[in-house]
Amino acid sequence: IVGAMDTPRLRALIAYLALHRHAPQTRHYLAFLFWPDSSEAQALTNLRKQLLYLRNAWPDAERFIDISRQTIRWRAIDEFRFDVAQFEAALSQAEATTDEQTIHLLRRAISLYRGDLLPECYDDWIFPIRETLRAQYRRGLERLVQLLEEHRDYTMAVDYAQQLLRHDPLHEPTYRQLMRLYALNSDRAMALRIYHTCVTHL
């Protein structure tokens, strides 16, 4: 849905409502948040225009978004699937399961993370959410690699450790972990190559 919207501002507004779906947002707060340098009247006008654009671009928008004169809120309906919510739910479930199920849930969570949240958005409100998701993704990957190593599934552990390294190419512990995994998998040549890559990057 978000990707189909015409403008970055409209995409950001929809994303904000979805991310804050557990509580209604007042029009005045949204207007101030998205147009902080405008007068109150102009900011509210800008918000009304965005809502008009939303209705034009997405005819059944009000099935998902409750728009009243005072507040706007994302509706809690079963048809709605939100990758951020699914990502966080899988990580949360992984915290309370046994190893085998944990691996499955962590792999699912990792597959749902497609990179930074709305990378084209530079609004102040999105940065802490974006960084929280990045940190959750990193911790999920680290735990998954650890569990796979404990299960001696070194090949898959290497794959996810490489993914972790792409996420943060300057994270020295990941290089050490990769070297150990390659060594455990009897691949000394790759362990040495990872060492030289680490030296080059750091």
Side-chain angles (χ1 to χ4, degrees), residues 22-126:
H22 301 300
Q25 308 297 316
T26 68
R27 284 179 177 252
H28 280 82
Y29 178 74
L30 290 171
F32 171 76
L33 184 68
F34 282 89
W35 295 275
D37 299 326
S38 300
S39 68
E40 181 179 358
Q42 184 59 56
L44 286 168
T45 297
N46 292 340
L47 178 59
R48 283 194 296 272
K49 287 180 180 178
Q50 291 300 318
L51 293 174
L52 179 61
Y53 296 154
L54 173 62
R55 289 184 174 105
N56 290 335
W58 188 14
D60 61 345
E62 293 194 45
R63 282 187 57 230
F64 296 88
I65 303 174
D66 180 20
I67 302 174
S68 72
R69 295 185 64 183
Q70 299 297 324
T71 63
I72 304 172
R73 181 174 187 171
W74 198 276
R75 298 182 190 272
I77 59 176
D78 292 338
E79 295 95 322
F80 175 61
R81 294 292 180 270
F82 188 31
D83 55 358
V84 172
Q86 291 176 310
F87 168 74
E88 292 179 323
L91 288 178
S92 179
Q93 292 166 19
E95 291 291 330
T97 57
T98 58
D99 282 357
E100 289 294 339
Q101 187 67 9
T102 299
I103 289 173
H104 169 75
L105 288 166
L106 287 172
R107 291 185 66 187
R108 170 166 169 70
I110 297 311
S111 72
L112 288 166
Y113 187 88
R114 307 292 173 82
D116 283 346
L117 177 68
L118 287 184
E120 75 278 10
C121 180
Y122 297 97
D123 294 342
D124 289 341
W125 64 266
I126 203 169

Side-chain angles (χ1 to χ4, degrees), residues 179-196:
M179 286 186 278
R180 182 176 67 252
L181 288 168
Y182 278 121
L184 288 169
N185 207 31
S186 302
D187 193 341
R188 293 173 57 87
M190 277 303 301
L192 187 60
R193 183 180 299 178
I194 292 296
Y195 168 76
H196 288 298

Side-chain angles (χ1 to χ4, degrees), residues 11-28:
R11 286 195 291 271
L13 177 60
I14 294 171
Y16 184 89
L17 292 171
L19 288 162
H20 296 83
R21 61 198 175 278
H22 301 300
Q25 308 297 316
T26 68
R27 284 179 177 252
H28 280 82

